[in-house]
Amino acid sequence: MPSKYTTIHYHSYLDLDKVLDAQHPRSLEKATGKPAHDELLFIITHQAYELWFKQIIHELESVHAIFKQDNVKEKDIGNATHRIQRVTEILKLLIQQIHVLETMTPLDFLDFRDYLFPASGFQSYQFRVVETLLGLKNDKRITYNSSHYASVFPETQQTHLLELEQQGSLVERISSWLERTPFIQYSDFEFFTHYNKAVKMMLEKEQTAIQESPYLNEKEKEMRLMMLGNSSTYFASVLSPDSHAQLKKEGKIRFSYQATVGALLINLYRDEPILRMPFMLLNSLMDVDEHLTTWRYRHAQMVLRMLGRKIGTGGSSGYDYLAETAIKHPIFTDLYTISTMLIPRSQLPPLPKDVEDALGFFYK
Ligand code: HEM
């Protein structure tokens, strides 16, 4: 009978023959003159990224599996949160790695850049998988060269990306889970009626404060009242299903109406023990979004430093394209909308005793 535990050597366990034999600087193969010293750094940095992308995909797939269930267990929410937090930690590392690559100067890069053409970060399949698993939709992507972003991949990968998009992203899975948030209506407590009242009071108070302010002139008052009107549009999106449907139609919101209400309840009553973990989960998703956006900015800055205004090897405008993705490609934008709709704790309707007990795991 074979033993359950066999011995193995560090080198073979990590398949280091393959990993360490996977760096082939083109300048070494092609150059008639001197090979470019910094090309090894360039290759290893990209390979390290791809390995981390693999780990991120592993984490995100497991989180998908959890939220795919019709009934998500409480203990699974803890696991999901933990894995999403791990993704953020990896992203922090990926942002840091840019500093290492920036020790290569633009002139050093030019020693081998010509050999890279037309290879480009556009061809990172795993990066597109990460974006798609999280929820970046094809119709939200900035296009370049007027071609589909996936056209650079072989057909099997294009099909897989399409399937991933159709099977539902994390945004959609989280939205379905939020729709099932309990306690929106519990015994005699109607969260909505209370929230509605509190919002109206808060907006009226802010309106009066602007109108009566001795420090603002008429023009400034008019401007501020208009801005207040804009934020009340978002309040309306949760107070009225019709306004929500309109914002959804305009592509400003992705969560369903019920999910938005669920997320709002979780955020407002996040100090109640039963809502703590869901709150941490939503927070961790914002962390991922924030760090991915920071990576996009940092990568764009590095590109500006390295290439100036040269176009990319993949045919985009380079810096301008990348900087625009940082603005337009955030994914969990609904969670930021929730922040617009928060009201101060002091104005939160107090919970009836039975609701507070239920939210606090109270056992007689
Ligand atoms: C000297 C360093 C680098 C330069 C000059 C550079 C340049 C560029 C440029 C110009 C683009 C736009 C596409 C194009 O026209 O080619 C791009 C896209 C991209 N690069 Fe880099 N890059 C560098 C390092 C990296 C590293 C280390 C990674 C890590 C994997 C990376 C990943 C990507 C990805 C994923 C995209 C696609 C971004 C998107 O479409 O949202 N790049 N890069």
Side-chain angles (χ1 to χ4, degrees):
M1 205 171 121
S3 145
K4 192 172 165 199
Y5 299 105
T6 53
T7 58
I8 187 147
H9 193 278
Y10 175 87
H11 196 92
S12 49
Y13 178 59
L14 299 175
D15 221 341
L16 289 182
D17 280 341
K18 262 197 212 153
V19 177
L20 298 178
D21 191 30
Q23 296 73 36
H24 309 288
R26 298 257 297 168
S27 63
L28 198 66
E29 288 167 9
K30 304 271 175 213
T32 42
K34 259 193 353 186
H37 176 85
D38 282 8
E39 195 179 351
L40 185 63
L41 174 73
F42 186 80
I43 293 174
I44 286 181
T45 309
H46 280 82
Q47 288 177 338
Y49 265 92
E50 289 294 337
L51 284 175
W52 283 121
F53 288 160
K54 184 169 181 172
Q55 186 67 37
I56 291 177
I57 292 168
H58 181 61
E59 305 302 345
L60 291 180
E61 281 175 347
S62 79
V63 175
H64 262 259
I66 289 173
F67 285 96
K68 213 161 136 180
Q69 304 168 94
D70 291 335
N71 206 338
V72 181
K73 294 188 193 78
E74 284 303 309
K75 64 179 180 188
D76 281 346
I77 296 175
N79 277 334
T81 308
H82 187 73
R83 289 171 194 170
I84 293 169
Q85 284 169 341
R86 179 178 290 161
V87 171
T88 296
E89 291 307 317
I90 296 172
L91 287 171
K92 285 184 191 168
L93 201 66
L94 297 187
I95 294 165
Q96 278 301 313
Q97 279 195 50
I98 291 183
H99 288 297
V100 183
L101 196 53
E102 279 178 340
T103 61
M104 172 175 80
T105 67
L107 210 57
D108 296 329
F109 184 39
L110 284 179
D111 284 345
F112 62 93
R113 183 172 185 248
D114 279 354
Y115 301 122
L116 306 181
F117 182 82
S120 155
F122 272 155
Q123 294 153 3
S124 171
Y125 171 66
Q126 292 199 106
F127 185 74
R128 299 305 183 210
V129 172
V130 170
E131 290 180 324
T132 310
L133 282 173
L134 286 171
L136 184 60
K137 290 263 177 241
N138 181 33
D139 58 4
K140 290 275 172 201
R141 287 179 187 275
I142 301 164
T143 48
Y144 61 93
N145 279 351
S146 34
S147 49
H148 192 278
Y149 80 95
S151 61
V152 294
F153 301 118
E155 218 174 294
T156 45
Q157 293 185 337
Q158 290 192 31
T159 312
H160 187 227
L161 282 168
L162 196 71
E163 281 167 3
L164 279 185
E165 190 167 326
Q166 283 165 355
Q167 81 178 15
S169 68
L170 206 51
V171 172
E172 282 131 12
R173 296 207 194 289
I174 294 289
S175 178
S176 313
W177 169 72
L178 284 169
E179 283 170 9
R180 305 191 295 269
T181 308
F183 301 110
I184 291 171
Q185 168 134 33
Y186 187 82
S187 62
D188 290 339
F189 176 71
E190 274 196 35
F191 163 65
F192 228 62
T193 319
H194 289 286
Y195 174 74
N196 200 340
K197 232 193 275 170
V199 166
K200 284 196 176 130
M201 261 169 60
M202 190 187 76
L203 289 175
E204 273 166 25
K205 232 162 116 181
E206 284 184 28
Q207 211 171 15
T208 315
I210 296 172
Q211 277 159 347
E212 293 178 1
S213 168
Y215 303 108
L216 298 171
N217 63 36
E218 285 310 310
K219 209 165 173 229
E220 286 167 337
K221 283 182 186 174
E222 199 184 308
M223 189 80 155
R224 292 205 184 193
L225 286 171
M226 201 177 83
M227 281 154 69
L228 191 65
N230 285 345
S231 63
S232 53
T233 309
Y234 281 99
F235 281 112
S237 78
V238 75
L239 297 174
S240 131
D242 287 347
S243 307
H244 184 277
Q246 181 57 31
L247 286 181
K248 204 158 190 270
K249 211 166 121 194
E250 290 166 17
K252 290 186 178 151
I253 280 183
R254 290 178 72 184
F255 282 175
S256 67
Y257 177 73
Q258 196 62 18
T260 309
V261 176
L264 188 60
L265 178 99
I266 291 170
N267 271 277
L268 285 172
Y269 291 101
R270 59 104 195 268
D271 295 334
E272 303 304 327
I274 215 169
L275 297 179
R276 191 75 202 166
M277 198 39 93
F279 168 72
M280 285 175 72
L281 172 81
L282 298 183
N283 223 22
S284 69
L285 291 169
M286 281 169 97
D287 283 341
V288 167
D289 219 22
E290 208 170 279
H291 283 85
L292 192 55
T293 302
T294 306
W295 181 80
R296 290 187 197 277
Y297 269 121
R298 277 300 284 120
H299 174 258
Q301 270 178 325
M302 174 183 64
V303 167
L304 184 62
R305 177 182 181 139
M306 215 59 89
L307 299 179
R309 296 286 172 170
K310 291 189 185 89
I311 59 162
T313 43
S316 80
S317 59
Y319 171 77
D320 286 341
Y321 162 79
L322 294 167
E324 208 186 341
T325 64
I327 296 168
K328 302 226 171 112
H329 286 182
I331 296 165
F332 285 92
T333 44
D334 289 75
L335 295 175
Y336 301 93
T337 305
I338 297 294
S339 302
T340 318
M341 300 187 291
L342 293 183
I343 54 176
R345 272 195 181 96
S346 57
Q347 288 169 36
L348 266 186
L351 294 171
K353 170 97 174 65
D354 59 333
V355 181
E356 203 174 350
D357 284 351
L359 288 167
F361 304 115
F362 178 78
Y363 299 105
K364 281 192 190 142

